[in-house]
Structure formats: C-alpha cells, structure tokens
Amino acid sequence: MRENAAKRLALIVIVACQVTLVVDSTIVNVALPSIQRGLGFSAADLSWVANAYTLAFGGLMLLGGRAGDILGHRRVFLTGVMLFSLASVAGGCALTPSWLLAARAVQGVGAALAGPGALALINTTFDEGPQRSRAIAIFASTNSVAMVFGLVLGGVLAAWTWRATLFVTVPVGIAIVILTPLCIGESSRRRARFDFAGALTVTTGMTLLVYGFIRAAENGWTEPLTVAILAVAAVLLATFVAVESRASQPIVPLWLFRDRERSGAYAMRALVFASNGGALFFLTIYLQTVLGYTPLQSGLAVLPSTVPYLVASRAVPRLLRRTGPKPVMVAGAVLMLAGMAWLTQVSATSTFLSVVLGPFLLFGVGTGFISVAAMVLGMTGIPDGEFGVASGVLQATPPIGNTLGVAIFVTVLASLSPPAPKVVGIAGGYTAGLVFGIGMIAIALLAFRGSRRKTLAPVS
C-alpha cells in the first residue's frame, strides 16, 4: 500500500475509533428509560449505566497511555478496541442490571486503552508539523460531532430497542481490528518498567476523583461520604505527585506540566469540557421540560453547533502557523464566554431561535478553536516514548471535566427553591448554572497565560 494511501486509511481508522468511544458516552443515555423498563433498574441505580463507563474510562486513562509507551501503541490500541467491542456485545445481551453494569465498566476499561492509543498513533504515523496538525484537527473535530450524533442515533435506536444502542458500535470495532494492521505500524517501545506505585496512586486517585464528582451530582457536595471520597482522592493524587518526583521511570513525567503554556492548555481543555458538560446537561432539561422537545428533537437541536465546530477545527492548523496557539485558544474562550452570557437570558418564554441557536453557534466555533489548539499544543515537542502518556493526559480531560461540570450544575439547580411554577424554576436554575459556566471559562483564561512560543520542547 502506498504511503499516502496508508496514512489516509490510518487516519480513517483512528478517527473511527474516536467516534465510537465518544458516541458510546452519549448514545446509551438517551435509552436509559427503555433500559429501566427492560431490565427493572431502580431509579437510584439507573445513572450507573452511564457512570460505570465514565468511572473506568476516566480513572484508567493515564495508565492506558503509559501502557502503550511500554508495550507498543498499536498493540494496546487493538486490545482496547477488542475489549470494548466484546463488552458491547455482552452489554447488548444483558439480562440483569448487574450484568449490564459490569459490561459498561469493561467498555470503559477498553476505552481507556484505546483512547490514548488513538491519539498517540497519530504522532507515530504523521510527521510533526503541518501534516500532524491537520491530522489532529480532523481527529479533534470528531468529538463534538460524535457526541451530538450519539444523542440523535440513540433517540432513533431506543425507539426500536435499547439493545441496539450497544450493538451498533460492534461492526465498527471489527472493521478497526481488521484494518489497523494493514495501515498502522507498531510504535517503538519505551524501555521501562511499570511504575507500580505511581500507577496505583494515580489510578485509584483518578477513579475516586471521578466517583466523587458523580456522587456530588447525586447527593450534593456536603454529603459526608462525598467529602471523604474527594479528600482521599486529593491525598492519593498528592502522593502520586510526590512518588513521580522521585521515580526514575515515572508513569507520568512531571516535566509535562512544568511548561506554563502546555499545562495551561490542559487546564483550559478540562474547564471548557466542564462548562460544556454542564451546559449540555441543562440544555437537555430545558429543551424537553420547558420547550416540550422529545429526546430526538433535543439531539437534533444541538446539530447546528457541529457545522461551525467543524469549520473552526479545520481552520486551526493554518491559524496556528500564523499566530501560535495562545491567540487561538483565547479567542475560543472569549467566544464561549459570549455564548454563555447570551444563554443567561433564557426564560420560560424564550424560544429556540431567540436564545439557544446563536449561543450554540458561538460554542461551536469556540470549542473548535480550543479543542484542536490544545491537542496540537499538548502533543507538540513530546519525545518518542512519551506519546502515550501525553495522549492520556489530554484524553482524560473530557470525562473528568464533564463529570465536574454536571456535578456543579446539578448542585446549583438543587440548591434553588423557586416559588414560581416548575418551568420557570428550571429556567432560573439554568441561568444560575450558566453563571458558574462563565466562571469556569474565566478561570481557564487565567490559567492559560503561557508564552507565545509556537513549539514546545520537553523541560528537563
């Protein structure tokens, strides 16, 4: 196979994997009512159909990235895809709630192996510079589109059977497993041993952090067990930093975070996903409860934001060559701030065209700028043997950011006790939640205050 054709096919395979993982994070959510009726889930346990996947995915991402550096990115990538696909089959065949929850958790483990490997394989397949930046832009542009596509596809499939929302990704997984060896070579392996102390502390700490955010959304931030879980997570992650500072072969080298521009990009990406995750949560409630949309109509309502997102994503590589990453990311954050501010005008009498559509379009451009620029920046200047862990850090920000954003927004809504009718109260809670979203993006802007360099090198 010619080199250019092989690279095009490789990018298709890698993007197909990313789309599958992102779609799976949203497609099942639309089918939750059907799942509850079909398997007899209790109301309290139903949320774990989504949470089991998120918990495993977010908690194991860094470990999955480092495993690719040591064992080979293609090998770990294929292992993750196969595990994810087998778990999807198992989940679609589930006969009991515990069976489905176990399958969802295993799906998350597979995603934690495949996700970092997908982005790392872009670095090993495409040369650094414009070629790699274009590939990353295409890869990153799939995130928002796949999330919305998952909502729409979930609405269509759930009307038939909820099991189809799990089976639908299996053929894609089979195709990826067949095509990957034909177009993607194995990466060089890093001669290193697993940092078991670092792996234990970061995996447990990240898992508890995500679990703490999930509990906060369900039970509030002051619930004793939630506070205890988040406190233990903080201690474990602090211990992880101490362990890594002395480790000869750390699972996550701390020089990744010593450059203010790169660490600022990580922080901005996480906070933007937190803001987006919370806003999307509230929009789903608002569209269905206040405007009377069906789940499928709600998914279709979000579709307009994908067009500016795709356009902005494809423009970022050219903008990066002209201005560097900082102006692009700041411009994206400003556009998102404007969209959030616009959305605060929502009320019980608002319409989709008057208050929702315009902000959606601003979000599309802003998220496209930030997502692609952060990925390019986060993967630039990374030496061979560290692509997986750098990818793991970038890929860990969406699930962590989303769970944090939803937890904060749910807390804001629950804390309000409006005397007005229900739909007015939801609109008011939505506005208050958006104020927190504005705060997250403002903090992200403050976090991103690095230099104006266009490329980065490891800091020793």
Side-chain angles (χ1 to χ4, degrees):
M1 186 180 295
R2 293 183 180 179
E3 182 179 0
N4 289 339
K7 287 186 175 182
R8 284 195 294 270
L9 181 58
L11 186 57
I12 291 172
V13 168
I14 292 169
V15 168
C17 175
Q18 182 69 3
V19 168
T20 300
L21 301 184
V22 176
V23 162
D24 198 78
S25 68
T26 57
I27 190 172
V28 176
N29 293 358
V30 182
L32 288 179
S34 299
I35 292 173
Q36 184 176 25
R37 291 189 298 270
L39 294 182
F41 268 92
S42 67
D45 292 338
L46 185 62
S47 64
W48 281 99
V49 176
N51 292 341
Y53 178 83
T54 302
L55 194 62
F57 189 25
L60 296 173
M61 191 76 73
L62 295 178
L63 183 60
R66 178 51 94 197
D69 289 330
I70 296 175
L71 302 176
H73 293 302
R74 191 181 73 173
R75 175 181 296 178
V76 174
F77 172 77
L78 284 172
T79 301
V81 172
M82 287 187 286
L83 188 61
F84 180 90
S85 300
L86 290 172
S88 298
V89 173
C93 296
L95 299 177
T96 64
S98 58
W99 180 343
L100 179 58
L101 294 181
R104 291 289 288 165
V106 176
Q107 275 188 309
V109 175
L113 296 175
L119 184 54
L121 286 171
I122 287 182
N123 265 37
T124 61
T125 303
F126 297 91
D127 297 331
E128 186 166 318
Q131 185 184 78
R132 185 183 297 170
S133 295
R134 285 193 296 271
I136 290 177
I138 294 171
F139 178 87
S141 68
T142 63
N143 286 333
S144 181
V145 177
M147 187 174 295
V148 175
F149 179 66
L151 292 173
V152 176
L153 185 60
V156 173
L157 294 177
W160 175 39
T161 170
W162 65 264
R163 297 181 187 277
T165 62
L166 288 153
F167 288 141
V168 70
T169 60
V170 175
V172 181
I174 294 173
I176 291 171
V177 171
I178 293 172
L179 293 175
T180 296
L182 302 179
C183 59
I184 299 177
E186 182 58 276
S187 62
S188 58
R189 302 181 192 178
R190 187 177 189 270
R191 293 184 176 274
R193 299 186 305 273
F194 271 109
D195 171 19
F196 288 105
L200 178 63
T201 51
V202 74
T203 301
T204 309
M206 292 284 285
T207 301
L208 288 177
L209 181 67
V210 176
Y211 181 47
F213 291 156
I214 291 171
R215 281 197 66 89
E218 296 176 346
N219 304 295
W221 292 88
T222 59
E223 192 240 350
L225 184 56
T226 299
V227 173
I229 290 170
L230 290 174
V232 173
V235 170
L236 285 170
L237 291 176
T239 303
F240 165 71
V241 173
V243 168
E244 298 303 271
S245 66
R246 296 191 296 270
S248 59
Q249 298 175 332
I251 191 170
V252 179
L254 297 183
W255 61 256
L256 280 172
F257 306 96
R258 289 178 187 155
D259 187 284
R260 292 171 63 185
E261 192 168 70
R262 183 187 283 116
S263 59
Y266 293 151
M268 180 175 281
R269 182 170 160 83
L271 289 167
V272 164
F273 271 99
S275 182
N276 273 355
L280 183 59
F281 173 81
F282 263 87
L283 277 173
T284 302
I285 296 175
Y286 177 76
L287 290 173
Q288 295 185 37
T289 305
V290 180
L291 299 187
Y293 284 28
T294 66
L296 179 57
Q297 288 172 328
S298 298
L300 292 172
V302 186
L303 277 177
S305 66
T306 62
V307 176
Y309 181 86
L310 287 170
V311 173
S313 298
R314 298 302 299 273
V316 168
R318 294 190 298 273
L319 294 174
L320 290 178
R321 291 196 295 272
R322 296 177 182 176
T323 67
K326 185 175 181 179
V328 176
M329 296 187 72
V330 169
V334 169
L335 288 170
M336 292 196 67
L337 280 173
M340 283 285 185
W342 189 346
L343 273 178
T344 59
Q345 304 306 304
V346 71
S347 70
T349 58
S350 299
T351 65
F352 177 78
L353 291 177
S354 66
V355 178
V356 180
L357 179 59
F360 268 177
L361 299 179
L362 291 176
F363 286 167
V365 178
T367 308
F369 281 173
I370 293 170
S371 183
V372 178
M375 275 195 173
V376 172
L377 183 57
M379 297 301 289
T380 297
I382 303 297
D384 192 20
E386 308 287 358
F387 291 150
V389 68
S391 173
V393 173
L394 281 168
Q395 296 283 65
T397 53
I400 292 173
N402 277 325
T403 51
L404 172 62
V406 170
I408 290 175
F409 275 59
V410 168
T411 302
V412 171
L413 182 61
S415 67
L416 299 175
S417 301
K422 183 178 180 181
V423 293
V424 177
I426 288 175
Y430 180 60
T431 301
L434 286 170
V435 172
F436 278 81
I438 290 172
M440 291 180 204
I441 298 175
I443 293 171
L445 269 172
L446 292 176
F448 191 74
R449 58 186 188 278
S451 66
R452 294 182 178 272
R453 288 173 296 153
K454 295 184 180 181
T455 58
L456 295 170
V459 179
S460 59

